[in-house]
Amino acid sequence: MRTPRNTLLILSVLIGLCFTVDLPFAVAQNDAKKDTPADSATKESKDKDSANENVDILPKLEEMQIPTVEELLKKPPVDWIVLENDSVLVVEPIYPRPDTLGQLDLALKESYNWPKPKSKEEIEEQKKMRADMNFILITLTDDKENPEYRIQRKSVKQVIHHEDQILQRIDLLLKENDLKTAFELLLFLDRKHRDWPGFEQRQKQLLLLEAKDKQQAEQYLNALAYVQDLHSRDPKYPGLSQLAGEIIDVMISQSVQENAYRKAHYYLKRLESMFPLQQTVIKWKTNFLNESNSILKAAEQAAGQKQYQEAIQAVSTAVVIWPANPKLREPLLRYQKRFPMINVGVLETALEETPYFLERESTRRHHTLTQIPLFEVTKVNQTPLYQSRFLEQWEPTDLGRRADFILRQSYSPWESHPTMIAADITQYLRSKITPGTTKYDERFDSYVRSVSSTGPFTFSIYFDRVPLRIEWLLSDPVNSPPLWQKISTIPESDQSPVRDEVLVSSRFIVDQQRDGIVSYSRAVPEPTDVREFSVAQINEIPYPSFEKSFQGLLLGEVTVLPFLPAKLVSFFQDSEDFNVVQSVIPLTHVLQFNPESKPMQVVELRRALAYSIDRKKILSETLLHESRLLNGRLVTAPYFTGLQVYNQQVPQREYSFPLAVALAVASQKKLGGKFPTLRMLCDPNPEAQIAAQEMIKAWSQIGLKVVLIPNTAVEAKKENLQWDIVYRTVSMTEPVMELWPFLTVGKGAQIESLEILPDWMRLSLIELDEATDWESATALIKKLQQQLYSMAHIIPLWEIDQFHVFRKNIKGYADRPLNFYDNIERWIPEPYYPDVESFSYK
């Protein structure tokens, strides 16, 4: 604070420096006019001497302290006026700004271009305006009585505005590497006065320092973001090219160590887009090209030794390392034709450990790919239609008490299974009716009396009771080694420990498992002299989420996705690069209760769970999204609504929260006044997992706590898994035969397995199993469907259409497959060379 004495001295300095007082604070200048010229000159000399003495009380520029951050942000803004002798006046912000002196000089210069005055009044007015341009209006900060003055322009050497002081403080902060505070001040300045001179320069400097700081902290992605931001503002900023090269060099090295070459290409592309001639770009392009050529030579050597599997894998690796290598296209096409291989993007494989012990999507794919049943469903038109790859003819005789079979004696080269003879089948079927053997099947034994072989390719089966459908009874694969054909594709010493044994009904076998990828190879290698080779290997590549598998499909890592959410069907249908195929049988979602769980034996609790679920809302909003109910339907049974045995007369259970609460209260009394925590097991299917979370939220609103058992290997290793509810996905084609093992929850179709079920359900299942004609069987299963639904022994939720997406280089698949791997031997994977640019993005 200045003392009154100092304030008076400053005022005298202002007068001594030819300050003139503005109109509100006019001084009497008449006395000055009365002075003689000599007296005036003497007085002016004295005033100047006095001014020079008094001006010394003002601080010098070098003595001024740059305001602190707190002062700049919280105190009123002030400008510094630097006089000719470097003394500083602290005043309130002056105008015009910025560059006050420059703007005044420019205005004075332009004033001489004004239109010529037409009258004496205009002459005087222009003189006055021009004279005003020689003065700067200021307001002293400490003079409250007479703060406003005019100061001559020629007396001012420099004006340091408040914004300039902010920039000076930012410079100090940048030297101290206090980047966060510097950024806050820059942001403050930008809001206060956008585009202030010097702002952009500090902003660029800050970006460079931020990039260096993140580089030192090994936060390379963040550092690269700052580099790209600075490049967009000033591509030639000093030091930027070198810093970008250093950052991306480390990122590429890390990606290569992780074998993440596509990520490395992505970073290289980012660097090249900024600095095409940077040394790091040239270095890594050369490294990738040399490594790709080296692997290509190894592939050519493997192909020379007729090891085509190793050759195509090596070329595929070389493509991943550097797809821009011009030498890759020809060998890739050649080896792909010789050893056709298909990469399938999946969310899980059948070999992954999970506590979910029931059939799931991955196991259904695995069984379809690795096993060929004696009879398999090939079409569904209200009832299933069967076909056999092994049998040429079959015919029931003796009023259905016997059936004669004739096997095929020759197969096409593309078929991947071993040759089956009558002895293979009869030996296997006898083991199923022989108690004490591992393959003994009590239900099968109740039908079959004996099996006999009547020739190398003929056999007969004798029945104790006539089955409803012989084809279904013989729809299991013959899981025994072939008796006369020894299959060996590679030396035993080189075989993978996970490699499956080749059985009579083997289609493809698990060849190897590495890094989570499961490779399936043909059970019987194709002859080497065929003109066109069929699919030799299937690689199931797991992804942590559908989004990642979708990305892999677009990048060319995989060419097929077996699972396609309904909400994305329209996207792929509109694409020119992909084909979408709909499966014949939709996937049915159903809740099932543990028959041995005491809480689940309370019918009121089961019904409370059922009525508290808004199935229509979950299906339409959570699962189907934009497609709404076009690709899904509510159901009342755990099987396809298009089957003849589905009872369309069973009404849908409507959502009713009040009824659910009432039933929950009633069940709580039966459970001793307190609900136990229920444990829920869920199919790994992504749609099932999402729907399960929604249902758990709904159950919590009626006072029930349900926890979801994690699908992890840790949970899978636990013994005696305790669960109360299971969320299942099923795809039945023959419910009359499949309902019994479904209701026993993995315990099979044995009399012993019925002990856990209520009496009425046992009798209904036995009566259904003993039905002798389709009319009575259909009536019985429709009645059973109504009973199961009304008693809430199961809660059928909905069925959702299954879609698969194929890149268009894959040909030969069915238009409406029953299973994903239907007709896999006839698929034609045409050689596909991914777009080089697709490898350049993450």
Side-chain angles (χ1 to χ4, degrees), residues 525-789:
E526 202 165 10
T528 59
D529 58 349
V530 296
R531 185 175 180 179
E532 293 185 358
F533 290 89
S534 304
V535 175
Q537 183 171 310
I538 303 290
N539 299 317
E540 286 199 346
I541 303 175
Y543 289 91
S545 64
F546 174 77
E547 289 74 19
K548 290 293 183 181
S549 68
F550 173 74
Q551 187 180 51
L553 180 67
L554 296 180
L555 290 176
E557 295 175 349
V558 296
T559 53
V560 186
L561 293 182
F563 171 74
L564 181 62
K567 61 183 179 180
L568 291 178
V569 171
S570 59
F571 171 82
F572 282 101
Q573 286 177 335
D574 297 336
S575 172
E576 297 180 355
D577 298 324
F578 303 98
N579 286 329
V580 175
V581 174
Q582 181 179 349
S583 181
V584 174
I585 300 292
L587 199 61
T588 303
H589 297 234
V590 58
L591 292 180
Q592 196 169 1
F593 306 109
N594 188 348
E596 299 178 282
S597 171
K598 290 184 179 180
M600 293 297 97
Q601 294 173 3
V602 179
V603 63
E604 289 83 1
L605 180 58
R606 298 197 304 268
R607 285 177 170 170
L609 292 170
Y611 279 108
S612 62
I613 303 172
D614 192 345
R615 295 184 300 152
K616 186 174 182 180
K617 181 179 179 180
I618 296 175
L619 176 63
S620 61
E621 297 182 7
T622 304
L623 301 180
L624 300 183
H625 297 273
E626 295 181 358
S627 60
R628 296 296 175 183
L629 297 178
L630 295 177
N631 298 318
R633 294 152 292 279
L634 300 180
V635 296
T636 58
Y639 39 82
F640 179 33
T641 55
L643 294 175
Q644 182 181 359
V645 296
Y646 184 88
N647 190 350
Q648 302 284 355
Q649 304 303 316
V650 178
Q652 296 288 347
R653 182 183 290 112
E654 298 294 334
Y655 165 69
S656 176
F657 181 75
L659 182 56
V661 173
L663 289 168
V665 172
S667 63
Q668 190 176 21
K669 294 179 181 179
K670 291 188 177 182
L671 293 171
K674 185 179 180 181
F675 286 124
T677 299
L678 303 178
R679 288 170 56 82
M680 182 178 183
L681 196 61
C682 183
D683 188 302
N685 180 288
E687 294 176 331
Q689 292 283 331
I690 295 172
Q693 295 291 350
E694 293 295 322
M695 288 186 284
I696 289 174
K697 292 178 185 177
W699 292 331
S700 67
Q701 295 178 357
I702 63 172
L704 289 171
K705 182 180 179 181
V706 181
V707 296
L708 197 62
I709 300 174
N711 275 314
T712 62
V714 176
E715 289 289 335
K717 293 176 182 177
K718 293 182 180 180
E719 297 182 0
N720 300 321
L721 179 67
Q722 300 296 320
W723 62 276
D724 302 287
I725 310 171
V726 61
Y727 187 131
R728 300 182 65 174
T729 59
V730 292
S731 183
M732 294 188 195
T733 55
E734 195 74 274
V736 172
M737 305 299 182
E738 297 179 64
L739 193 58
W740 181 346
F742 170 81
L743 292 174
T744 57
V745 198
K747 295 184 179 293
Q750 303 174 5
I751 297 297
E752 184 181 355
S753 66
L754 296 175
E755 294 179 357
I756 61 176
L757 303 178
D759 293 340
W760 68 268
M761 195 183 302
R762 296 183 211 167
L763 295 174
S764 298
L765 289 175
I766 292 174
E767 186 179 6
L768 178 63
D769 193 59
E770 292 178 348
T772 57
D773 61 89
W774 274 106
E775 185 176 352
S776 58
T778 301
L780 287 170
I781 195 172
K782 286 185 176 182
K783 179 181 178 182
L784 183 56
Q785 173 187 339
Q786 187 170 13
Q787 291 173 322
L788 290 171
Y789 193 70

Side-chain angles (χ1 to χ4, degrees), residues 401 433 444-451 461-464:
R401 293 286 178 174
I433 60 175
F444 185 81
D445 186 26
S446 68
Y447 283 101
V448 177
R449 182 171 74 250
S450 63
V451 181
I461 299 179
Y462 299 86
F463 299 100
D464 281 328

Side-chain angles (χ1 to χ4, degrees), residues 388-408:
S388 176
R389 304 192 193 192
F390 302 103
L391 297 170
E392 189 173 280
Q393 183 179 344
W394 61 95
E395 183 178 355
T397 60
D398 194 14
L399 298 178
R401 293 286 178 174
R402 190 186 85 189
D404 298 327
F405 301 86
I406 301 176
L407 289 166
R408 292 172 57 193

Side-chain angles (χ1 to χ4, degrees), residues 13 23 144 281 308 375 531 546 597 650 716 786-787 837:
V13 169
L23 292 178
K144 296 182 179 179
V281 174
Y308 297 107
F375 284 95
R531 185 175 180 179
F546 174 77
S597 171
V650 178
Q786 187 170 13
Q787 291 173 322
E837 287 299 320

Side-chain angles (χ1 to χ4, degrees), residues 63 114 123-125 136 161 240 295 348 516 604 639 675 729 733 753 799 810:
E63 297 173 358
W114 289 348
I123 293 174
E124 293 301 323
E125 183 181 358
I136 302 175
H161 295 286
L240 179 61
I295 295 176
E348 62 150 356
E604 289 83 1
Y639 39 82
F675 286 124
T729 59
T733 55
S753 66
E799 62 182 17
I810 306 294

